[in-house]
Amino acid sequence: MKNFIYLLFTFGLFLFVCSFGAKSTEIVEKSENAIESEKLNDTEEIKKLIIQVLTWADTVKSIDLLPVLTDTEGSFYIGFDMNKHKENLETLSETGYFSIEFIENYNQIILTLDRKLRNHEYEYEWLVGDLPPFIFVSWWNGQERFPLQSSIIEVIDLNKTFGEFYFKCGNLEKCIGLENYKMKVKVSKEENKWKILYLEGFDFKESTRTDGEL
């Protein structure tokens, strides 16, 4: 009788362990599936954000990245209009697209370029109508662009509060000459919303150096 009770207990314990193990595996699988689903949702939301930003940048509601001032004769650009620059910062904030860090980085780029222009720190004067003596000129890195409806994003890193991606064209027929073009984008989550943290081309050091200088 004692042996029977022992065997019955052992068998019951075996069934419990098997059942618990199966449930644990199921919980882990569901958890992993939930994480993957959340990442996919975040990726789609971030892709939509990037497209919204680049679309907005081409509209009249956008800002003039370089709110330039000319000399009295209108021959040279001598710096930036700080009143317009302040309005630009306010506009960037109001869109809800950009993180605080992105806006402050842009602010420092403009302030530094303004100082360098006014102090004649670049090798040559910036003639009206010519390209600037520095690198920073466009929302698109290198001014390369492709149809936004053909875009895809390649995940480099993504967690609950930070993401890093390559934004590139997914339709090679519409990207002739731009097959290898990638624009790096970083995002951060502020107040439960993804916002642009960094766009390639907005590097402070790179943006303010002299064009042609390594």
Side-chain angles (χ1 to χ4, degrees):
M1 187 65 178
K2 287 183 179 180
N3 289 337
F4 175 75
I5 293 173
Y6 175 76
L7 288 173
L8 186 63
F9 173 77
T10 303
F11 181 68
L13 182 61
F14 172 76
L15 291 177
F16 173 77
V17 170
C18 290
S19 175
F20 179 78
K23 287 182 178 179
S24 296
T25 301
E26 184 179 353
I27 290 171
V28 170
E29 288 177 350
K30 285 183 177 179
S31 177
E32 290 176 348
N33 289 336
I35 291 171
E36 285 303 311
S37 178
E38 184 177 353
K39 281 190 174 182
L40 285 174
N41 290 337
D42 282 339
T43 301
E44 284 302 309
E45 185 179 338
I46 291 163
K47 177 185 174 182
K48 182 180 178 182
L49 170 64
I50 297 169
I51 292 174
Q52 283 177 325
V53 167
L54 294 175
T55 299
W56 169 83
D58 278 336
T59 68
V60 295
K61 294 181 179 179
S62 182
I63 64 171
D64 183 357
L65 278 180
L66 301 174
V68 289
L69 283 174
T70 63
D71 63 358
T72 54
E73 296 179 356
S75 300
F76 298 95
Y77 295 119
I78 58 173
F80 296 106
D81 184 328
M82 288 296 107
N83 289 326
K84 287 185 178 179
H85 176 55
K86 182 180 178 181
E87 292 175 2
N88 282 348
L89 297 177
E90 292 172 352
T91 299
L92 289 176
S93 180
E94 288 168 359
T95 64
Y97 296 149
F98 304 97
S99 70
I100 294 171
E101 185 173 333
F102 178 92
I103 296 171
E104 179 54 26
N105 180 66
Y106 167 69
N107 177 42
Q108 291 304 317
I109 288 173
I110 294 299
L111 293 179
T112 301
L113 293 177
D114 179 72
R115 174 181 56 77
K116 287 190 170 188
L117 286 170
R118 293 179 187 274
N119 293 339
H120 307 285
E121 295 182 31
Y122 291 109
E123 292 182 5
Y124 58 89
E125 299 288 341
W126 183 11
L127 281 168
V128 171
D130 283 359
L131 290 174
F134 46 80
I135 303 299
F136 185 63
V137 293
S138 172
W139 283 98
W140 287 75
N141 180 43
Q143 300 187 64
E144 305 289 357
R145 59 180 63 204
F146 51 79
L148 291 174
Q149 64 271 22
S150 303
S151 64
I152 60 173
I153 58 176
E154 176 185 322
V155 179
I156 301 172
D157 185 23
L158 179 62
N159 57 47
K160 290 184 178 181
T161 59
F162 171 83
E164 184 175 7
F165 304 84
Y166 282 123
F167 184 71
K168 59 185 185 178
C169 188
N171 187 333
L172 298 183
E173 292 181 359
K174 296 184 178 181
C175 299
I176 297 174
L178 295 174
E179 296 87 351
N180 298 317
Y181 174 75
K182 295 180 178 180
M183 182 167 68
K184 186 174 285 188
V185 181
K186 297 178 184 178
V187 295
S188 62
K189 185 164 277 190
E190 293 181 4
E191 298 176 348
N192 205 35
K193 181 180 179 181
W194 288 109
K195 295 187 178 184
I196 298 294
L197 177 66
Y198 164 83
L199 288 175
E200 190 167 353
F202 282 72
D203 311 76
F204 174 79
K205 185 176 180 180
E206 178 72 8
S207 296
T208 56
R209 73 173 172 85
T210 301
D211 191 9
E213 179 183 76
L214 297 178

